[in-house]
Amino acid sequence: MLEIIYRDADLIAINKPHGLLVHRSSIAADTSEFALQLLRDQIGQQVYPAHRIDRKTGGVLLFSLNKEMDSLIQTAFAENRIEKEYLALLRGHTEPAGTIDYPLKKENGTLQDALTHYTTIALSEIDLPFGKFPTSRYALVSARPQTGRMHQIRRHFAHIFHPIIGDRPHGCNKQNKLWKETFQHDTMLLHAKNIKFEHPRTKETIFIEAQLQPEFKRALNIASLDVSIEI
């Protein structure tokens, strides 16, 4: 049963679990469950994905309940009129705040402007040897992508040498292996925390927030980050 976190006459949002694809695709030969079909069957009516989040990412996933709203809300996403906030657990200690302005290549090689703002929420250092270091350092950050490129947040944090824990292929394979072998933990620690936008029909300000999934909470405990931190 999917967790429904918002619903009105036109829109519905769920807290998508990590590992669940939004819909069927050519990369989905290994799975038979998809958020779109599960939600459709759960509420007994057609739904239309308003946007995409990675299979490995958990958190807010918005759907339209009719074709008219589908067109309106997809346009709002395309025009960057929807504010998005993500939480990520990163390797290393980040700066208190920063902006990553780094163009990203599309599959055809075309460069696209890409901009991500981030704020560090908390830092930790735990007694876990890593390579030549006697400890491991981590950062919990809030990320606000200003553009919406494929794997933008994942690629941007890798670019500044603070990859997301559990990210493949953009992350740190050695750190990912360490977490899997030491903690039996291989979830990618990126969470779509909230979205904010003007409702295309009612013109109200809509704010939708998703609580952290259990895997993310366990990771914060592992990294000695207080899960009660106001995030």
Side-chain angles (χ1 to χ4, degrees), residues 74-138:
Q74 287 209 36
T75 298
F77 271 101
E79 294 178 352
N80 293 318
R81 288 189 279 114
I82 307 233
E83 297 177 26
K84 296 164 285 186
E85 181 186 5
Y86 290 76
L87 295 178
L89 186 63
L90 310 180
R91 182 193 71 186
H93 283 180
T94 49
E95 296 295 323
T99 293
I100 306 168
D101 185 355
Y102 179 67
L104 298 171
K105 281 186 180 180
K106 296 175 65 175
E107 289 183 355
N108 63 9
T110 304
L111 275 178
Q112 293 180 302
D113 291 341
L115 195 64
T116 303
H117 308 286
Y118 74 88
T119 303
T120 299
I121 297 170
L123 302 173
S124 73
E125 185 170 1
I126 64 173
D127 185 19
L128 179 66
F130 177 62
K132 63 182 180 180
F133 302 103
T135 60
S136 292
R137 291 182 170 187
Y138 301 102

Side-chain angles (χ1 to χ4, degrees), residues 67-81:
K67 288 190 175 181
E68 179 188 3
M69 183 54 61
D70 179 44
S71 176
L72 292 171
I73 202 72
Q74 287 209 36
T75 298
F77 271 101
E79 294 178 352
N80 293 318
R81 288 189 279 114

Side-chain angles (χ1 to χ4, degrees), residues 6-13 45 63 65-66 69 197 199 201-202 204 206 208:
Y6 177 84
R7 186 173 185 177
D8 63 29
D10 295 294
L11 296 165
I12 187 168
Q45 73 178 92
F63 294 84
L65 294 171
N66 54 72
M69 183 54 61
F197 59 96
H199 195 293
R201 191 183 304 281
T202 68
E204 293 179 278
I206 304 297
I208 305 172

Side-chain angles (χ1 to χ4, degrees), residues 18 185 211-221:
H18 296 274
H185 198 297
Q211 297 302 306
L212 292 175
Q213 299 283 348
E215 305 99 304
F216 205 119
K217 290 181 179 179
R218 184 165 82 90
L220 293 183
N221 276 320

